[in-house]
Amino acid sequence: MSENDTITEKKKKTAPAVVRFFQGMLVGVGGILPGISGGVLCAIFGLYQPVMEFLAHPVKNFRSHIKLLLPAGIGLVVGFLALARLVLLAFDKNGVIATCVFTGLILGMLPSLWREAEEKGRGKASYITMAAAFAAVFGIFLVLEFTSAKAVEPGFFWFFVSGVLFGLGIVVPGMSASSPLLYLGLMEPLLDVAGSFADGITGFIGGSLGFAQAVSVMRFDAVLPFVIGVVGIFVALSRLVTAIIGKHPAEFYHGIFGIVAATTLPILIFTVDFAHGTLIKLACIAAGFAAAWLLDRVQMRFAGDNV
């Protein structure tokens, strides 16, 4: 075999892993960027079913799934950490504008969720499930709004909750963690932790930080509960979600639509003050909506090309 043939063969072997890595990066981005669902991206890239199978039976499916999921998992972490600083910068520059744009992104995701739910079937039970999910979640946010419970202080418990919400965005297609994180005021603290963790890694690799310094910068007091929340929701819901989607797909997806709508509405009602700068805020929401709509067109085309 010639040297060129050897190089070509190596490329054939490494190409799938490289592709999965970049797909994982996009899923990680989807987990943190409002208006994008990591679970939907997993489904588009053909990762959702292998992920659910692996989480449901990790020992049984380890050998058959690890080569596919390992590079995707590494890419997910890289994508999450790489985007965190950019999103945090947006909040630091102008938190109100960033919130409006990201709320628009979330709203722009609703039409695709509605379409996906319709594809699963639509009937009386679907509408009942959607209404019940909306009422339950919106009721929780109302309780938080009119009690002291909304004044969360980022700590072990709330970083754990952030991990649970992020995990839900992967396990449940169409679910986005962004709206509840924005409403509860957890988005910026989580982004700050992710940015610090990335700084610790890059500082250690670059030689500007020693091991002990890097560990102190990486904020494991917040990273640990976040990881526990993500892994916990994976373990707790992977089999359940798979079973529900298999038996009641229409009700499941309509319920997700109700949840996303219920977690977004409180941001518009209670978080964004339209008394001042109304036109600018509405324009930012519209811009976010348009960006999400365009992204949905791209996702639909990508998914169609891979059928």
Side-chain angles (χ1 to χ4, degrees):
M1 181 180 292
S2 67
E3 183 178 350
N4 289 336
D5 290 337
T6 302
I7 294 174
T8 302
E9 188 64 25
K10 286 183 179 179
K11 286 183 178 180
K12 286 181 180 179
K13 291 181 179 179
T14 58
V18 171
V19 169
R20 292 304 185 189
F21 173 80
F22 282 108
Q23 289 176 340
M25 282 189 65
L26 291 175
V27 173
V29 168
I32 197 172
L33 187 63
I36 306 176
S37 167
V40 169
L41 291 174
C42 277
I44 289 173
F45 296 143
L47 293 169
Y48 185 78
Q49 185 172 346
V51 168
M52 291 299 102
E53 290 174 352
F54 178 77
L55 292 175
H57 304 283
V59 177
K60 176 183 175 182
N61 294 318
F62 182 83
R63 287 189 176 183
S64 60
H65 289 61
I66 191 62
K67 289 184 178 180
L68 182 152
L69 296 181
L70 181 60
I74 295 173
L76 185 150
V77 174
V78 172
F80 179 86
L81 296 177
L83 190 70
R85 277 296 184 204
L86 293 178
V87 178
L88 183 61
L89 180 63
F91 276 99
D92 288 340
K93 290 292 183 181
N94 195 316
V96 174
I97 295 300
T99 299
C100 289
V101 173
F102 292 158
T103 302
L105 285 167
I106 298 168
L107 290 172
M109 185 177 66
L110 291 177
S112 64
L113 282 178
W114 184 252
R115 183 182 64 248
E116 187 173 9
E118 185 178 28
E119 291 173 355
K120 307 299 179 182
R122 184 160 288 159
K124 185 177 180 180
S126 302
Y127 286 112
I128 292 174
T129 303
M130 181 175 65
F134 179 91
V137 174
F138 189 68
I140 292 173
F141 279 103
L142 286 178
V143 171
L144 291 174
E145 180 63 31
F146 295 108
T147 65
S148 60
K150 188 193 173 184
V152 300
E153 187 68 30
F156 188 98
F157 174 76
W158 286 110
F159 282 119
F160 169 79
V161 171
S162 300
V164 169
L165 292 172
F166 182 84
L168 283 172
I170 304 297
V171 174
V172 181
M175 184 72 183
S176 175
S178 305
S179 44
L181 288 175
L182 280 172
Y183 177 74
L184 293 171
L186 293 171
M187 177 67 84
E188 290 185 69
L190 179 61
L191 293 171
D192 187 54
V193 169
S196 297
F197 189 84
D199 290 343
I201 294 176
T202 54
F204 179 72
I205 294 175
S208 61
L209 295 176
F211 180 77
Q213 291 175 310
V215 170
S216 65
V217 167
M218 291 165 72
R219 293 286 309 278
F220 278 101
D221 61 312
V223 172
L224 182 60
F226 178 81
V227 172
I228 293 174
V230 173
V231 174
I233 207 68
F234 281 169
V235 173
L237 292 186
S238 57
R239 295 188 185 185
L240 177 62
V241 169
T242 302
I244 294 175
I245 291 177
K247 294 182 179 179
H248 305 284
E251 290 79 6
F252 178 84
Y253 281 94
H254 281 82
I256 294 303
F257 182 90
I259 291 172
V260 175
T263 56
T264 307
L265 187 59
I267 300 175
L268 295 172
I269 297 176
F270 303 119
T271 303
V272 180
D273 181 12
F274 288 103
H276 307 285
T278 304
L279 291 179
I280 295 176
K281 292 172 183 176
L282 289 175
C284 291
I285 292 173
F289 185 96
W293 184 86
L294 289 173
L295 179 63
D296 180 50
R297 300 299 99 183
V298 173
Q299 289 180 346
M300 285 180 62
R301 183 166 184 176
F302 185 90
D305 291 342
N306 286 277
V307 173

